[in-house]
Amino acid sequence: MQAPSSNIDSPPVAATTGGVQKPTVRADSGLEMVRNSVRYHQRQYIKEKADTVRSNTLVTVSSPAIYRLPTEILSEIFMYCLPHDEHLVPRAELAPILFTSICRRWREVAIGLPRLWRTLQLAVGFDDWQKRALCYDSWLKRSGGCPLSLRLLCHTDCNELQNLLKPYIQQISFLTLDFITCDGGPFMTKDFRTLKELTINPYVLDDPARVIDRSLSKLPVSLRRINMKELLFDREQLEFFTDSVWAHLTHVEVTISGLDAFTRILRLCPNLTSLTMDGVFYPIETVESATHVNLQSLCMSWSGLWSSSEDIAPFKVITLPNLRVVEARHNERWPHKEFMEFLTRSECSLERLVLDCAMGITAGQREEYATLVPSFELICSAHVYEQ
């Protein structure tokens, strides 16, 4: 006998929510065909199992073996059958909601397994919000006390989403904010006291700073990682933030304009251990130098970094005594001299160096790096040449 379905088991939001995706560059068609085929066959397999089970409503001695599996094993099967998407969309034909429509026991096991419900994609600004809210709330209740990873698609005012999340705010550890427009006020994260990682993606036609800056002006002290690579910050915009706001961050991904923005990031984040940075640097700049004693990993890619007179390079303005890993990608000349002076000045024990061969690394430089650094890699397109 089938148990009655709740709002989440017949979700009214599947079509719209699933349709809003992050804008991406078109991937290799062959790889995409393989991925789509894997997803299709996985879903077909689950559907076939579901159709088989639906034809049996009573569990008896002669029932299929899958009926008699211990709850622990059935739970692991459920976890294995979840879609591979980072954040799940409520759909009746997909796990985990699919499990609740098979039979009474499967439904009880699925609802009683909080791990099944710990990731979710939510959207506001599409069709009937009340129906969506009921679906989302039912899903989040089933997560029990599990740490949550959420992706929020903010198409309009974020207040409705923030109100919905209040009962679960202490569970949210990982949060992705996709701003479809800048209507309404900022999404305030300061009350998310267990938040560890935050990603912000603005997909807007107007200036995103109106919402983004205020969303980042007060961050929870628990936050350690932040990904802002879809945002572009210059020194003037970074002056909006006080020195204490980002002081607790240890991992930052960001896109910047100007070397002075690079040094400002280092000053804003004194506890930073890892920085991934895309930069647009200008040939004529007077930049105050910066020393950072905690940074251990620096991953850089840039454009417009040097002029023909070679009068500017990022390694001229920084000193990083605890740096252990450097990755650099660019399509112009690698500043070998400036980099070696930086290593001498910093007195750091570099353990790993990864460079793009498009920067024109000479054979002599490769030999020098291979002697100096325990792990030296030269990357050319999709190939890595280890020295």
Side-chain angles (χ1 to χ4, degrees):
M1 180 176 178
Q2 199 96 348
S5 296
S6 65
N7 289 308
I8 192 175
D9 303 323
S10 299
V13 300
T16 309
T17 309
V20 181
Q21 299 294 334
K22 176 179 177 180
T24 57
V25 178
R26 185 184 180 99
D28 178 77
S29 59
L31 181 59
E32 282 301 302
M33 288 177 63
V34 172
R35 288 174 175 167
N36 291 336
S37 177
V38 170
R39 294 191 189 104
Y40 172 78
H41 285 94
Q42 182 190 45
R43 291 169 182 170
Q44 285 295 107
Y45 175 78
I46 296 174
K47 186 177 184 299
E48 290 172 4
K49 291 296 183 184
D51 292 340
T52 300
V53 176
R54 283 195 184 99
S55 65
N56 302 276
T57 57
L58 296 176
V59 179
T60 65
V61 175
S62 61
S63 298
I66 194 169
Y67 279 116
R68 303 191 296 275
L69 286 175
T71 298
E72 294 77 10
I73 295 179
L74 191 58
S75 297
E76 292 305 315
I77 292 174
F78 285 178
M79 293 299 301
Y80 180 80
C81 291
L82 285 176
H84 294 303
D85 304 304
E86 184 177 359
H87 298 96
L88 303 182
V89 176
R91 289 183 177 175
E93 73 275 14
L94 295 179
I97 296 179
L98 175 63
F99 300 142
T100 66
S101 63
I102 305 304
C103 66
R104 182 182 297 276
R105 180 164 183 256
W106 278 34
R107 176 180 173 81
E108 291 174 351
V109 172
I111 293 178
L113 187 59
R115 289 184 296 155
L116 281 176
W117 314 93
R118 62 187 176 187
T119 72
L120 178 63
Q121 176 176 297
L122 306 87
V124 61
F126 306 94
D127 54 61
D128 191 333
W129 166 249
Q130 294 304 319
K131 291 182 179 180
R132 286 177 174 275
L134 287 173
C135 175
Y136 297 148
D137 189 56
S138 296
W139 183 294
L140 293 171
K141 283 178 179 176
R142 293 178 181 179
S143 70
C146 276
L148 292 171
S149 176
L150 305 180
R151 179 187 179 194
L152 311 183
L153 305 179
C154 306
H155 191 273
T156 56
D157 197 321
C158 298
N159 289 331
E160 291 174 322
L161 270 176
Q162 294 187 93
N163 290 333
L164 172 69
L165 294 177
K166 281 182 179 179
Y168 314 99
I169 200 168
Q170 301 307 322
Q171 291 178 239
I172 301 174
S173 297
F174 309 94
L175 184 63
T176 298
L177 297 177
D178 289 3
F179 290 96
I180 310 302
T181 69
C182 281
D183 295 337
F187 190 96
M188 304 306 298
T189 60
K190 62 183 180 65
D191 295 326
F192 290 67
R193 297 179 182 177
T194 60
L195 188 63
K196 297 177 181 178
E197 296 188 19
L198 174 64
T199 300
I200 297 183
N201 300 313
Y203 306 128
V204 293
L205 297 177
D206 54 337
D207 183 7
R210 181 161 50 91
V211 169
I212 304 298
D213 287 354
R214 285 179 291 168
S215 299
L216 295 173
S217 62
K218 293 182 179 181
L219 298 175
V221 295
S222 60
L223 189 66
R224 293 295 178 266
R225 294 174 175 264
I226 189 166
N227 183 339
M228 305 177 292
K229 291 194 73 174
E230 299 297 332
L231 302 173
L232 177 65
F233 289 99
D234 58 23
R235 175 60 184 257
E236 183 178 354
Q237 290 171 314
L238 290 171
E239 290 294 342
F240 176 84
F241 307 107
T242 62
D243 290 348
S244 62
V245 172
W246 293 3
H248 46 276
L249 296 175
T250 59
H251 297 75
V252 170
E253 297 183 41
V254 67
T255 298
I256 61 172
S257 175
L259 277 176
D260 52 353
F262 178 23
T263 56
R264 176 60 177 162
I265 289 286
L266 294 178
R267 292 190 176 91
L268 278 173
C269 308
N271 291 305
L272 199 63
T273 60
S274 174
L275 175 61
T276 299
M277 180 182 68
D278 290 342
V280 179
F281 299 150
Y282 308 113
I284 301 176
E285 292 188 82
T286 301
V287 182
E288 184 180 356
S289 61
T291 298
H292 197 291
V293 298
N294 290 315
L295 192 67
Q296 298 179 23
S297 176
L298 177 61
C299 181
M300 305 171 61
S301 63
W302 60 83
S303 61
L305 183 54
W306 295 287
S307 66
S308 57
S309 59
E310 303 176 6
D311 56 1
I312 191 68
F315 297 108
K316 287 184 176 181
V317 299
I318 56 174
T319 301
L320 308 174
N322 281 302
L323 192 65
R324 297 293 180 265
V325 178
V326 172
E327 297 185 24
R329 292 170 175 82
H330 189 41
N331 57 4
E332 296 184 15
R333 184 194 65 86
W334 169 246
H336 173 72
K337 178 182 177 182
E338 293 87 345
F339 181 66
M340 296 302 294
E341 291 173 349
F342 156 76
L343 292 180
T344 301
R345 181 174 66 252
S346 298
E347 297 182 343
C348 58
S349 300
L350 202 64
E351 298 173 356
R352 185 166 182 257
L353 177 62
V354 181
L355 300 179
D356 191 334
C357 67
M359 296 187 293
I361 310 298
T362 67
Q365 292 169 357
R366 290 202 300 268
E367 292 178 2
E368 189 172 0
Y369 293 144
T371 302
L372 181 66
V373 184
S375 175
F376 170 55
E377 299 174 7
L378 190 62
I379 298 178
C380 294
S381 300
H383 304 288
V384 177
Y385 299 92
E386 297 190 6
Q387 304 292 323

